[in-house]
Amino acid sequence: PGSEGPVAEDDDDVESIAEAIGYPLLVKAAFGGGGKGMRVVDEPGELRAAIRQAASEAGKAFGDGTVFLERYLARPRHVEIQIMADKHGNVVHYGERECSVQRRHQKLVEETPCTVLTEELRQKMGESACSLARKVGYVGAGTVEFLYSKNEFYFLEMNTRLQVEHPVTEMVTGRDLVREQLRVAAGEELGYTQADIEFRGHAIEVRINAEDPSSGFLPSTGTIQKLRLPTGPWVRVDAALYRGMEVGLAYDPMLAKIIVWGADRE
């Protein structure tokens, strides 16, 4: 549950909107993510200050300070559905990814399948994601993100791109999502249906970030002095690293991804 549209610190009815949604709630940037422009509000007295702070942060990060309100779920799971839609009305999903292990609202560990979903719920979430894509006439690769809590799931947002964690989906489905995205962009039909997509085994991805553990894992800069990348069966490393590389402030602190596959989660 959330506000029907944007809210501002000086809105006369902002308290009644918040009351209708229910506390605790989240003030959230409309034009970006990654944990920026977000504030948790536990009680009415904190609301207007949180809106002001979130809007200011969003304006600096995304060039637009628009924020909205939504219910805050204290301990949800972050479960998302990977979809692909072509220009001929075909939409399929490639199952779900669980991305609940996060730090400062940034994902750290992503895996598929999610260990708590029933087959019925998995099917329902997949159908919901595909339905959303059809209704907006979406074309390309995309991810519909949900918050899952107590056998209920809520729409969070849609990422209209290929995501960092797409390799775990590729590992269990055998589908090259980059290739599929290029085919769709070229106007080709997908050429297969939902029933043709099979899921095998379990995959986990870990993001490798330039961080300083002694400073609360804050992003860190410097020169890469030593580097040894893991290899072996069912190990994939996505990176652009080399010894002597200077890690600066210009980019996201993520430097590499390690993706592994196994017949099961154990």
Side-chain angles (χ1 to χ4, degrees):
S3 58
E4 289 298 313
V7 298
E9 184 188 2
D10 55 1
D11 287 347
D12 293 334
D13 59 347
V14 71
E15 274 95 357
S16 59
I17 293 171
E19 205 64 48
I21 295 167
Y23 289 91
L25 48 80
L26 195 65
V27 184
K28 195 172 178 189
F31 284 83
K36 296 182 177 69
M38 288 170 63
R39 291 291 186 280
V40 178
V41 183
D42 292 310
E43 52 188 51
E46 304 169 357
L47 180 63
R48 290 185 186 268
I51 292 173
R52 180 177 68 251
Q53 292 161 3
S56 172
E57 190 172 271
K60 291 171 186 171
F62 313 120
D64 192 306
T66 303
V67 296
F68 61 97
L69 306 179
E70 67 181 19
R71 174 82 53 78
Y72 180 69
L73 302 176
R75 291 186 63 82
R77 286 176 180 257
H78 183 127
V79 181
E80 59 191 33
I81 304 287
Q82 174 74 59
I83 62 126
M84 191 76 66
D86 66 20
K87 295 177 180 177
H88 308 274
N90 302 302
V91 185
V92 297
H93 72 83
Y94 304 89
E96 82 282 359
R97 295 186 289 260
E98 162 130 14
C99 309
S100 300
V101 181
Q102 303 184 8
R103 184 191 296 125
R104 290 188 290 274
H105 303 293
Q106 288 279 41
K107 299 166 186 173
L108 289 176
V109 180
E110 300 108 342
E111 64 180 300
T112 185
C114 171
T115 57
V116 298
L117 288 193
T118 62
E119 199 51 52
E120 181 185 4
L121 202 54
R122 178 173 288 116
Q123 186 176 343
K124 194 174 176 184
M125 289 177 86
E127 288 171 354
S128 295
C130 291
S131 174
L132 184 149
R134 285 192 194 94
K135 284 180 179 175
V136 299
Y138 187 74
V139 173
T143 302
V144 182
E145 304 200 352
F146 296 104
L147 289 179
Y148 168 82
S149 180
K150 299 172 183 174
N151 288 325
E152 296 285 342
F153 61 92
Y154 304 90
F155 173 72
L156 181 62
E157 64 184 358
M158 182 173 180
N159 276 309
T160 53
R161 54 181 169 79
L162 209 58
Q163 283 185 277
V164 170
E165 56 271 26
H166 78 272
V168 293
T169 299
E170 294 184 332
M171 298 283 259
V172 300
T173 62
R175 305 273 175 174
D176 184 335
L177 296 179
V178 177
R179 176 181 180 271
E180 296 303 88
Q181 182 174 242
L182 292 171
R183 286 181 54 241
V184 162
E188 293 184 25
E189 281 197 60
L190 281 172
Y192 52 87
T193 66
Q194 190 64 53
D196 297 319
I197 298 171
E198 297 180 10
F199 304 92
R200 297 187 182 93
H202 198 100
I204 300 175
E205 173 180 296
V206 179
R207 300 188 186 199
I208 307 301
N209 298 323
E211 296 174 328
D212 183 359
S214 63
S215 299
F217 290 95
L218 287 172
S220 178
T221 60
T223 305
I224 296 177
Q225 304 285 359
K226 295 180 181 179
L227 178 64
R228 190 174 69 183
L229 300 175
T231 59
W234 314 117
V235 176
R236 167 177 166 177
V237 179
D238 287 8
L241 293 171
Y242 54 90
R243 284 178 62 185
M245 176 179 165
E246 285 289 334
V247 178
L249 291 168
Y251 299 102
D252 188 274
M254 186 182 72
L255 300 178
K257 309 180 294 187
I258 298 174
I259 308 100
V260 292
W261 180 92
D264 54 37
R265 195 171 191 261
E266 287 300 312

PDB file of all heavy atoms in Angstrom, residues 11 20 28 89 137 142 180 258:
ATOM      1  N   ASP A  11       2.672  19.631   2.005  1.00  0.00           N
ATOM      2  CA  ASP A  11       1.297  19.204   1.700  1.00  0.00           C
ATOM      3  C   ASP A  11       0.453  19.214   2.973  1.00  0.00           C
ATOM      4  O   ASP A  11       0.858  18.656   3.999  1.00  0.00           O
ATOM      5  CB  ASP A  11       1.276  17.783   1.102  1.00  0.00           C
ATOM      6  CG  ASP A  11       1.788  17.747  -0.322  1.00  0.00           C
ATOM      7  OD1 ASP A  11       1.917  18.829  -0.934  1.00  0.00           O
ATOM      8  OD2 ASP A  11       2.064  16.641  -0.825  1.00  0.00           O
ATOM      9  N   ALA A  20      -3.513   6.704   6.477  1.00  0.00           N
ATOM     10  CA  ALA A  20      -4.288   5.723   5.696  1.00  0.00           C
ATOM     11  C   ALA A  20      -3.413   4.549   5.253  1.00  0.00           C
ATOM     12  O   ALA A  20      -3.875   3.406   5.176  1.00  0.00           O
ATOM     13  CB  ALA A  20      -4.899   6.411   4.480  1.00  0.00           C
ATOM     14  N   LYS A  28      10.126   7.421  -0.284  1.00  0.00           N
ATOM     15  CA  LYS A  28      10.932   6.781  -1.321  1.00  0.00           C
ATOM     16  C   LYS A  28      11.030   7.642  -2.571  1.00  0.00           C
ATOM     17  O   LYS A  28      10.026   8.180  -3.056  1.00  0.00           O
ATOM     18  CB  LYS A  28      10.295   5.435  -1.661  1.00  0.00           C
ATOM     19  CG  LYS A  28      11.176   4.508  -2.447  1.00  0.00           C
ATOM     20  CD  LYS A  28      10.510   3.145  -2.562  1.00  0.00           C
ATOM     21  CE  LYS A  28      11.324   2.198  -3.390  1.00  0.00           C
ATOM     22  NZ  LYS A  28      10.597   0.962  -3.667  1.00  0.00           N
ATOM     23  N   GLY A  89       4.075  -9.391 -28.975  1.00  0.00           N
ATOM     24  CA  GLY A  89       3.121  -9.686 -27.908  1.00  0.00           C
ATOM     25  C   GLY A  89       3.466 -10.889 -27.057  1.00  0.00           C
ATOM     26  O   GLY A  89       2.669 -11.300 -26.205  1.00  0.00           O
ATOM     27  N   GLY A 137       2.808  -2.648 -22.511  1.00  0.00           N
ATOM     28  CA  GLY A 137       3.397  -2.797 -23.839  1.00  0.00           C
ATOM     29  C   GLY A 137       4.909  -2.854 -23.808  1.00  0.00           C
ATOM     30  O   GLY A 137       5.595  -2.352 -24.710  1.00  0.00           O
ATOM     31  N   GLY A 142      13.571  -7.329 -18.683  1.00  0.00           N
ATOM     32  CA  GLY A 142      13.160  -6.524 -17.534  1.00  0.00           C
ATOM     33  C   GLY A 142      13.024  -7.398 -16.305  1.00  0.00           C
ATOM     34  O   GLY A 142      12.963  -8.628 -16.405  1.00  0.00           O
ATOM     35  N   GLU A 180      19.153 -12.951 -26.017  1.00  0.00           N
ATOM     36  CA  GLU A 180      17.699 -12.820 -26.172  1.00  0.00           C
ATOM     37  C   GLU A 180      17.302 -11.351 -26.273  1.00  0.00           C
ATOM     38  O   GLU A 180      16.433 -10.975 -27.061  1.00  0.00           O
ATOM     39  CB  GLU A 180      16.975 -13.483 -24.993  1.00  0.00           C
ATOM     40  CG  GLU A 180      17.197 -14.990 -24.892  1.00  0.00           C
ATOM     41  CD  GLU A 180      16.769 -15.717 -26.161  1.00  0.00           C
ATOM     42  OE1 GLU A 180      17.603 -15.855 -27.083  1.00  0.00           O
ATOM     43  OE2 GLU A 180      15.606 -16.119 -26.243  1.00  0.00           O
ATOM     44  N   ILE A 258      30.985 -13.136  -8.683  1.00  0.00           N
ATOM     45  CA  ILE A 258      31.297 -14.567  -8.739  1.00  0.00           C
ATOM     46  C   ILE A 258      29.977 -15.332  -8.732  1.00  0.00           C
ATOM     47  O   ILE A 258      29.148 -15.151  -7.846  1.00  0.00           O
ATOM     48  CB  ILE A 258      32.169 -15.000  -7.543  1.00  0.00           C
ATOM     49  CG1 ILE A 258      33.506 -14.262  -7.575  1.00  0.00           C
ATOM     50  CG2 ILE A 258      32.396 -16.514  -7.573  1.00  0.00           C
ATOM     51  CD1 ILE A 258      34.366 -14.503  -6.367  1.00  0.00           C
TER      52      ILE A 258
END
